[in-house]
């Protein structure tokens, strides 16, 4: 508890430096990663993350120091080269993009490991700590490192803010953006540069091996909470920042622990929780929506069959037994009884001496479902040129999701027809 208070009091300037650095690096990576995720280029981020290692090693060999400016330049260079090679392989050969990514990722990372091993055995004392780029070490962000990586992180966030609309447009529909006259190639180039730069800065926090997770996981988690791209970007940045802060705390409590894996563990935990509990798009919420839809379909189909029985007897309010309903259309008996009780609670049915019958509200609802079914059959037959004996199944599916607005348009378009393609009367 004392350690917790000491860390979050931010009384130690070195703690403030590490926290600010880790939060900036992870948040800026998440902001850029949102557009990489939306463009479905997640694997490209992984390839870049692994391809920057040779650049870091090359920068160290040439400069003889771990100066962050040299490290960034070296990493940016090989990251860019890897993207150019992937692009050339996919456009000028029959090799697919995922194969090209796997190929470049392996080759560049292998070269990086060879160069790193060679440096470690060279006897150069300055190489100490270079291997922290593999797994990240936010706690090492001090002084000049913090200033340089912090400036780059701010540049990333500001650039995304300035070109937010353009990046959003090409992420969803680059052809439409081109039709609007936007310089799509230039914006693609900008996004590629931002992705490489985000990877280059983020590896200081989570390392080469796990950088792709830091780039994509916050965006994937944020996608479950909203459909709005601005909110998604903001949520991804907050999630990335929280994981950076938590990773810095773990490094403070246990200095032997590598920062990167802990940051990725924390953001992964946030993502898993989001997958389950996010409203509307979470697994639980979607399960509930699916269950509600199944009940709606069951209830409406049941009311529709009661209307069909009423048409045959010319008495829509006549009582029916469970067996009579099943004889008209098969329903699992247990599910049918449950639906009957539910419709009685909702005021659509009554039960007298074992016989189920419409209330006035139930008859109106059943009649509407029958009307929508027959209108949609007529629409498919008349406008889609589908044979009348092939339209029933489609109408059976669509009738439950037609809104009152669409219903009014359908009636107007078909000019309030009296009969469906099977010469059955459409009830109004």
């Amino acid at each position: 508890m004392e350690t917790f208070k000491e860390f979050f009091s931010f009384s130690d300037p070195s703690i403030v430096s590490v926290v600010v650095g880790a939060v900036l690096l992870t948040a800026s990576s998440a902001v850029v990663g949102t557009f990489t995720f939306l463009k479905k280029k997640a694997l490209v981020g992984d390839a870049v993350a692994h391809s920057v290692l040779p650049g870091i090693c090359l920068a160290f060999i040439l400069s003889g120091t771990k100066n962050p400016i040299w490290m960034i330049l070296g990493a940016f260079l090989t990251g860019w080269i890897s993207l150019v090679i992937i692009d050339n392989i996919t456009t000028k050969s029959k090799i697919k993009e995922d194969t090209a990514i796997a190929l470049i990722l392996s080759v560049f990372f292998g070269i990086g490991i060879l160069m790193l091993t060679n440096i470690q055995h060279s006897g150069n004392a300055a190489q100490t700590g270079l291997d922290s780029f593999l797994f990240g070490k936010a706690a090492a962000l001090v002084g000049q490192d913090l200033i340089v990586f912090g400036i780059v992180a701010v540049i990333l966030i500001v650039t995304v803010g300035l070109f937010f609309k353009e990046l959003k447009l090409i992420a969803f529909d680059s052809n439409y953006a081109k039709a609007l006259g936007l310089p799509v190639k230039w914006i693609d180039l900008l996004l590629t540069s931002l992705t490489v730069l985000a990877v280059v800065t983020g590896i200081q926090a989570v390392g080469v091996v796990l950088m792709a997770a830091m780039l994509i996981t916050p965006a994937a988690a944020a996608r479950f909470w909203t459909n709005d791209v601005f909110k998604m970007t903001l949520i991804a940045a907050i999630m990335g920042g929280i994981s950076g802060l938590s990773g810095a705390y773990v490094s403070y409590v246990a200095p032997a622990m590598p920062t990167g894996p802990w940051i990725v563990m924390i953001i992964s935990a946030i993502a898993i929780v989001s997958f389950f509990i996010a409203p509307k798009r979470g697994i639980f919420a979607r399960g509930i929506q699916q269950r509600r839809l199944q009940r709606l379909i069951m209830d409406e189909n049941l009311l529709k069959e009661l209307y069909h029985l009423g048409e045959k007897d010319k008495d829509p309010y006549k009582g029916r037994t469970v067996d009579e309903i099943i004889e008209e259309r098969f329903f699992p008996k247990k599910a049918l009884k449950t639906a009957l009780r539910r419709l009685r609670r909702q005021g659509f049915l009554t039960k007298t001496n074992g016989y189920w019958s419409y209330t006035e509200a139930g008859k109106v609802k059943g009649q509407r479902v029958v009307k929508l079914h027959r209108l949609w059959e007529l629409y498919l037959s008349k406008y889609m040129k589908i044979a009348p004996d092939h339209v029933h199944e489609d109408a059976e599916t669509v009738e439950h999701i037609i809104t009152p607005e669409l219903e009014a348009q359908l009636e107007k378009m078909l000019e309030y027809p009296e009969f469906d393609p099977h010469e059955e009367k459409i009830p109004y």
Side-chain angles (χ1 to χ4, degrees):
M1 195 62 188
E2 281 300 318
T3 308
F4 182 84
K5 288 180 180 177
E6 189 179 30
F7 182 85
F8 285 99
S9 67
F10 300 115
S11 55
D12 186 340
S14 63
I15 292 176
V16 175
S17 300
V18 172
V19 168
V20 170
V23 170
L24 272 176
L25 294 179
T26 50
S28 61
S29 301
V31 166
V32 176
T34 299
F35 296 94
T36 310
F37 171 80
L38 290 174
K39 282 209 75 174
K40 300 178 181 174
K41 296 283 186 182
L43 286 177
V44 169
D46 199 22
V48 174
H50 284 76
S51 301
V52 299
L53 186 59
I56 292 170
C57 294
L58 185 63
F60 177 80
I61 291 170
L62 294 176
S63 68
T65 68
K66 296 197 297 296
N67 185 304
I69 297 175
W70 284 106
M71 298 290 112
I72 288 175
L73 288 174
F76 191 84
L77 176 66
T78 52
W80 243 105
I81 291 173
S82 71
L83 284 182
V84 171
I85 295 175
I86 289 171
D87 186 52
N88 274 279
I89 289 175
T90 51
T91 55
K92 296 179 181 178
S93 74
K94 292 184 178 179
I95 296 175
K96 292 186 177 178
E97 189 180 34
D98 58 341
T99 308
I101 289 172
L103 186 67
I104 296 304
L105 182 153
S106 308
V107 171
F108 272 70
F109 191 58
I111 293 171
I113 291 294
L114 285 175
M115 293 174 74
L116 183 62
T117 305
N118 186 53
I119 291 169
Q120 287 173 329
H121 289 86
S122 65
N124 188 339
Q127 60 83 25
T128 306
L130 198 60
D131 57 350
S132 66
F133 283 98
L134 281 176
F135 301 110
K137 195 170 184 180
L141 278 171
V142 290
Q144 191 182 11
D145 295 346
L146 180 63
I147 293 170
V148 173
F149 283 101
I151 290 172
V152 175
V154 171
I155 289 173
L156 285 174
I157 294 172
V158 171
T159 307
V160 169
L162 290 174
F163 295 94
F164 184 82
K165 287 182 181 176
E166 290 79 2
L167 291 170
K168 176 182 165 184
L169 198 53
I170 66 161
F172 287 103
D173 195 340
S174 57
N175 289 328
Y176 179 62
K178 195 180 290 182
L180 290 177
L182 289 178
V184 173
K185 285 188 178 178
W186 187 89
I187 299 170
D188 261 331
L189 188 67
L190 175 67
L191 180 58
T192 302
S193 303
L194 291 175
T195 304
V196 176
L197 207 52
V199 169
V200 171
T201 53
I203 56 173
Q204 184 71 9
V206 299
V208 168
V209 178
L210 300 172
M211 185 54 215
M214 198 60 246
L215 195 68
I216 300 302
T217 309
R223 186 74 178 89
F224 275 79
W225 292 91
T226 181
N227 289 323
D228 186 291
V229 178
F230 177 75
K231 290 179 182 175
M232 181 181 164
T233 309
L234 194 62
I235 293 171
I238 293 171
M239 287 178 173
I242 290 173
S243 64
L245 173 64
S246 307
Y249 175 68
V250 173
S251 289
Y252 179 76
V253 174
M257 289 277 188
T259 316
W262 274 105
I263 290 178
V264 173
M265 287 281 286
I266 291 163
I267 191 62
S268 299
I270 293 173
I272 290 170
V273 171
S274 300
F275 297 162
F276 280 98
I277 68 165
K280 296 183 180 179
R281 300 176 67 92
I283 291 174
F284 290 148
R286 290 172 73 92
I288 292 170
Q289 289 170 8
Q290 192 174 16
R291 180 71 177 157
R292 284 177 181 166
L293 182 61
Q294 287 173 343
R295 285 181 179 177
L296 173 71
I297 292 172
M298 177 68 188
D299 292 353
E300 291 191 346
N301 282 339
L302 177 53
L303 291 172
K304 184 172 67 178
E305 297 313 319
L306 286 173
Y307 191 86
H308 288 159
L309 287 169
E311 280 186 320
K312 289 178 182 176
D313 297 339
K314 301 187 184 309
D315 182 4
Y317 295 101
K318 184 180 177 181
R320 313 287 175 179
T321 63
V322 169
D323 290 335
E324 276 183 277
I325 298 170
I326 292 177
E327 190 175 338
E328 174 66 17
R329 173 175 175 165
F330 175 75
F331 293 102
K333 206 163 192 173
K334 187 178 177 183
L336 175 60
K337 289 181 177 179
T338 303
L340 287 167
R341 289 194 294 270
R342 185 166 56 245
L343 287 168
R344 182 171 64 173
R345 286 196 302 274
Q346 294 171 355
F348 294 118
L349 295 178
T350 61
K351 184 182 181 185
T352 308
N353 299 325
Y355 288 86
W356 295 89
S357 58
Y358 273 145
T359 62
E360 182 59 31
K363 189 251 182 184
V364 170
K365 191 174 175 68
Q367 179 177 307
R368 178 177 181 268
V369 181
V370 172
K371 181 184 75 172
L372 293 177
H373 181 93
R374 292 174 181 173
L375 281 174
W376 194 251
E377 282 189 331
L378 185 60
Y379 173 82
L380 292 175
S381 177
K382 187 173 180 179
Y383 287 95
M384 306 303 290
K385 306 300 181 188
I386 300 175
D389 56 342
H390 284 71
V391 295
H392 175 76
E393 293 299 328
D394 288 334
E396 189 82 0
T397 304
V398 174
E399 68 196 27
H400 305 289
I401 56 175
I402 293 179
T403 62
E405 294 78 16
L406 186 56
E407 177 185 349
Q409 288 183 15
L410 203 56
E411 288 175 341
K412 188 176 179 182
M413 180 187 293
L414 295 170
E415 299 176 340
Y416 301 91
E418 290 188 30
F419 298 97
D420 71 1
H422 310 290
E423 296 301 322
E424 289 181 306
K425 189 173 177 59
I426 299 174
Y428 290 96

